[in-house]
Amino acid sequence: MCGIIACVGRPDETVDVLLSGLSSLEYRGYDSAGIAVANGALDIRKREGELDNLRAEIEDRPLTGSFGIGHTRWSTHGPPSDENAHPHTDAAGRVAVVHNGIIENYQALRDELEADGCEFVSDTDTEVVPHLMASYLDDGYDASESFRKAVSRLTGSYALAAIVAGEEAIFATRQDSPLVLGVGDDSYFLGSDVPAFLKFTRDVVYLENGQSVTLRPDGWEVTASDGSALDPTIHTVEWDAEQTGKSGYDHFMLKEIHEQPTALRQCLSGRLDPLAGEVVVEELSNLEPPERVQFVACGTSYHAALYGAHRFREAGVPAQAFLASEYSTAVPPIEDDELVIGVTQSGETADTLSALRAAQGHGAETLAVTNVVGSSAARECDHVMFIRSGPEIGVAATKTFSSQLVSLSLLVESLAPGTGTRTRALVESLRDLAGNVQSVLDDALPSVEELVDELADSEAYFFIGRGYNAPVALEGALKFKEITYEHAEGFPAGELKHGPLALITEDTPVFAVVTGDSVPAQKTLGNIKEVQARGAPVVAVTDGVLEVERFSDMVLEVPETEGPLGSLLANVQLQLVAYEMADYLDRPIDKPRNLAKSVTVE
C-alpha cells in the first residue's frame, strides 16, 4: 500500500527527485511522508499528513544529500503520526529504512531487541529492521551483510530500502510487495511503482521475490537471496510521464473517466476481426478451453469477475467468482481442466496473489487479467491477458473496470466461442463501444448535476440490477461510498425483498440499472415498483428499451447496444454520479480517507 522512492546519481537534486517521486506515489498512501538523505551522516525529515506538510518542513529546515530514500505511508501498525512516519532509524541514526508491507514476526523481533536494550520510538513493524541492521553492524558485519542478515530474519511481505551512514549505497529487497528498479544513463532509482521515477527513465527491472538490489553512483547490482549476482532483463515502459499527470482535469478520477474511450480502443486493438466477425486474442492462443472456471479478485476487480463468471456461464462453461481474501484460506475443490483466473488491476494485490498461489498449489492452471506488464501476477501465472488501459492513478478505479469488462468479454469469446451470429453481434457492438462511451461522457453532465442537486441530502443510496447489471450495481455503490463517504449499498435487484426493503424510505433513492429487454431487465421493473410503493425515489439508468422512464423519478440515459455491453455504458453514468456527488460535497476525491490504490497487504 505504501509508496517507496529511492535515488542515487543526482547529487544536486536528490531531494527534488525524492519529493517528485512521492508526489507520483501519493495514490498509494497519504497518511504521512518522509525522506532520508546522506552526505556521510544521515539527515531525515518526516511529517504526519499529506506531502505538503513534508514540503513545508523541508522549506523550514532544508537538507541536502547525494542520494536518499523516501516514503509515503498508508497506516497499518500505529496511527498516522510523525513518530510512525517513515523512514525509521536505529537509536544512533546510522541506518534509515523505508518499508511497504507487513512484517508478521515483528513482535517477536521487537521483544528480542528490547531485551537487548533497544528503545523503540514508534508503533510500527518497520522499526525492527534498522535496529536489526545496527545490531549486525555492531557485530562487525559490513553494511551489505548487515542488510542481508536482517532481511533473513523477517517473515511476511515487504519491499525494503535502506541507507547506512558512511556507505554510499542504497540496499533494497522485496518479498510479496512490489519494487521496481529504474535504470537511467547516470542515475538509478527504486520505486513501488514505475510512476515514481518515470520522468527520469523508462528503462526498468522488475525485481522478483527474494531478490535484492544495491545502487551506487557508479552502477547497480541485483543478487539472489544467497548473494549471488544475477543478470536481469531491462524492460522499456511504453507509456510516459505525461500520461500520469492530470492533463488539466481537476482530479485524476475525472481524467480517467474521460480516458475510457481511449482505454477501450487500446484494449480492443488487434483483438477484433470485423470482416470475419471473430475475436482474436493472440496471448491466449496456447490456452486450451477450460471445462470449468474459478475467478479470484477483490473490490472493483471482484465485480468484474462476477461479470466474467456470468458471461462464461451464459456460454455454457460453469464458472464462479470468489473473493480472493476468502479463497486462499479455504480453496474450493479444483478439478482437471479447471482454470483459475485472477483479476487484478495492479497485478500486485496481495489477497489475489495469495489466492492464485494457493490455486497453483492445488494443481490449477492460472491466468492473470491485469493492467501492469511485469507485475507479480503477470510473471507468476501460467498465462496473462493485459487489459491495456494505460496508467490509472485515481484510487477509485474507473477506466480499468471498463477495460476489465471488455477484456473478460474477449476472453469468453476466445475460450468459449458462441455461434457465429452471437459473436458477430458482439464484435460489431465492441467496435462501436468507445464511441458510445464518448456519447455518454458528452451528454451526461446536465442530468447528473441536476440529480446531485436533488439527492445530495439523502440518508442513503441503493443500487440495484439483475444479470449483467448486478455487478454494475455493486460497483456503482462501491464508487459512491469510496469517494462521497455517504452510505451506499448495491444489491442484485431480486434480493431487495429478502431484507433490504426494510431500509427503504423517502430519503433512500434507488439507482436501478435496466438495459435491454431480457428477462432479468423485465424482472427489475417489478423491483422498481416495489421500492416506489414504499416512497423511494427511483433513478433509472437505462437505454429506454423497456420504457423504464415511465416508472422513474429521474433518468440517466445510455445508448442501446448489444446486451452485456449496456451494463458497461450504465457504469459510466454511475461513475459520473459518484464523482459529481463527491465534488458537490467537497470530498478529497483522489485521496479518499483510509484507502490506497494498490492493496499489497492481506
Side-chain angles (χ1 to χ4, degrees):
M1 306 280 276
C2 307
I4 289 173
I5 176 68
C7 169
V8 64
R10 289 179 174 260
D12 297 329
E13 47 187 348
T14 300
V15 172
D16 291 338
V17 170
L18 295 176
L19 290 175
S20 172
L22 292 179
S23 179
S24 298
L25 291 173
E26 273 198 290
Y27 63 92
R28 298 183 67 90
Y30 28 85
D31 291 339
S32 61
I35 65 173
V37 296
N39 262 328
L42 305 186
D43 204 356
I44 297 171
R45 304 286 185 274
K46 55 183 186 176
R47 285 290 302 274
E48 174 190 350
E50 295 185 6
L51 185 57
D52 284 345
N53 294 350
L54 176 62
R55 287 196 180 99
E57 174 76 6
I58 292 172
E59 286 182 9
D60 290 341
R61 299 171 55 221
L63 74 170
T64 59
S66 58
F67 61 97
I69 55 178
H71 188 270
T72 181
R73 182 175 186 242
W74 184 83
S75 301
T76 55
H77 294 67
S81 67
D82 289 353
E83 292 77 15
N84 289 332
H86 298 216
H88 289 287
T89 68
D90 66 306
R94 292 175 296 171
V95 179
V97 172
V98 292
H99 166 226
N100 176 22
I102 291 180
I103 298 170
E104 295 172 357
N105 63 333
Y106 89 97
Q107 190 61 60
L109 293 172
R110 180 167 178 153
D111 291 344
E112 173 189 320
L113 289 162
E114 287 180 326
D116 288 339
C118 289
E119 294 185 7
F120 283 73
V121 297
S122 78
D123 304 311
T124 69
D125 54 338
T126 306
E127 196 183 349
V128 299
V129 181
H131 286 298
L132 276 174
M133 287 186 64
S135 70
Y136 290 119
L137 289 171
D138 289 340
D139 289 341
Y141 294 98
D142 65 23
S144 178
E145 292 170 321
S146 296
F147 180 74
R148 189 163 56 249
K149 291 183 74 66
V151 169
S152 71
R153 300 287 307 280
L154 307 180
T155 300
S157 64
Y158 48 80
L160 289 165
I163 56 177
V164 178
E167 186 78 19
E168 201 169 6
I170 298 172
F171 307 97
T173 192
R174 65 152 293 186
Q175 179 66 43
D176 294 336
S177 285
L179 193 63
V180 186
L181 165 65
V183 181
D185 292 335
D186 54 4
S187 54
Y188 312 103
F189 309 86
L190 293 169
S192 295
D193 204 351
V194 173
F197 51 73
L198 191 57
K199 65 173 61 176
F200 306 107
T201 182
R202 293 168 58 193
D203 293 336
V204 304
V205 173
Y206 298 103
L207 298 176
E208 303 282 357
N209 276 343
Q211 292 182 347
S212 296
V213 59
T214 302
L215 309 185
R216 299 184 187 275
D218 59 353
W220 55 275
E221 182 184 40
V222 175
T223 57
S225 57
D226 61 2
S228 59
L230 300 172
D231 185 20
T233 301
I234 297 177
H235 302 269
T236 299
V237 177
E238 294 182 358
W239 35 277
D240 57 35
E242 187 174 332
Q243 290 177 268
T244 63
K246 292 182 184 177
S247 302
Y249 288 92
D250 290 339
H251 299 93
F252 282 113
M253 182 180 179
L254 183 61
K255 177 200 174 201
E256 289 156 4
I257 288 173
H258 282 270
E259 286 178 340
Q260 286 177 112
T262 298
L264 293 174
R265 290 188 184 98
Q266 292 171 174
C267 178
L268 292 168
S269 178
R271 290 170 166 174
L272 300 179
D273 185 342
L275 292 178
E278 294 177 349
V279 169
V280 182
V281 184
E282 289 295 334
E283 58 261 51
L284 301 179
S285 59
N286 294 325
L287 179 58
E288 293 295 323
E291 295 292 328
R292 286 160 297 278
V293 171
Q294 294 179 1
F295 283 93
V296 291
C298 304
T300 288
S301 294
Y302 174 68
H303 300 152
L306 290 170
Y307 179 93
H310 190 108
R311 294 217 66 164
F312 265 115
R313 291 195 297 271
E314 190 176 66
V317 178
Q320 292 177 278
F322 296 91
L323 287 165
S325 56
E326 295 294 318
Y327 184 98
S328 58
T329 58
V331 179
I334 294 175
E335 302 181 36
D336 292 340
D337 299 321
E338 190 149 22
L339 178 66
V340 177
I341 302 173
V343 186
T344 161
Q345 183 281 133
S346 67
E348 301 292 352
T349 309
D351 287 320
T352 305
L353 288 173
S354 179
L356 288 166
R357 291 163 184 159
Q360 288 176 323
H362 283 70
E365 189 172 20
T366 56
L367 165 69
V369 178
T370 185
N371 192 38
V372 182
V373 176
S375 61
S376 294
R379 297 196 307 274
E380 293 182 19
C381 285
D382 301 307
H383 309 275
V384 60
M385 181 180 184
F386 294 108
I387 68 172
R388 305 194 309 206
S389 66
E392 185 177 71
I393 305 301
V395 170
T398 52
K399 67 177 181 177
T400 53
F401 180 67
S402 297
S403 296
Q404 285 172 338
L405 298 189
V406 170
S407 296
L408 294 176
S409 296
L410 297 174
L411 176 66
V412 172
E413 289 303 320
S414 296
L415 299 182
T419 63
T421 301
R422 188 192 83 183
T423 302
R424 183 173 290 277
L426 175 67
V427 169
E428 291 175 355
S429 296
L430 286 170
R431 288 182 65 194
D432 297 334
L433 183 60
N436 283 333
V437 170
Q438 188 63 59
S439 71
V440 173
L441 295 171
D442 291 342
D443 300 336
L445 191 57
S447 297
V448 172
E449 287 181 333
E450 180 182 353
L451 179 153
V452 166
D453 189 61
E454 178 73 20
L455 301 179
D457 294 329
S458 301
E459 291 182 353
Y461 303 82
F462 284 5
F463 296 75
I464 62 171
R466 285 178 181 256
Y468 292 113
N469 290 329
V472 167
L474 297 176
E475 175 64 11
L478 178 61
K479 280 296 148 287
F480 198 91
K481 71 180 72 173
E482 276 182 313
I483 62 170
T484 70
Y485 305 162
E486 299 298 309
H487 183 73
E489 296 292 341
F491 306 98
E495 289 299 297
L496 278 176
K497 57 186 175 290
H498 297 291
L501 271 177
L503 301 175
I504 291 291
T505 71
E506 294 178 356
D507 291 321
T508 53
V510 177
F511 290 82
V513 184
V514 186
T515 57
D517 60 357
S518 64
V519 171
Q522 294 172 27
K523 288 181 178 291
T524 306
L525 288 179
N527 303 122
I528 288 173
K529 293 173 183 177
E530 289 171 358
V531 299
Q532 273 195 326
R534 289 154 178 83
V538 173
V539 180
V541 188
T542 182
D543 53 15
V545 173
L546 286 180
E547 298 184 344
V548 68
E549 61 270 16
R550 294 172 51 195
F551 312 104
S552 306
D553 300 284
M554 296 179 175
V555 177
L556 297 175
E557 298 178 352
V558 299
E560 184 179 352
T561 187
E562 197 265 342
L565 300 182
S567 304
L568 189 151
L569 299 176
N571 174 66
V572 176
Q573 284 280 20
L574 295 180
Q575 291 172 349
L576 291 168
V577 168
Y579 176 84
E580 292 297 332
M581 184 67 80
D583 194 45
Y584 181 90
L585 297 172
D586 197 28
R587 306 302 194 211
I589 291 171
D590 283 337
K591 300 176 183 178
R593 68 188 177 205
N594 302 329
L595 302 179
K597 181 66 176 173
S598 181
V599 186
T600 57
V601 295
E602 293 186 69

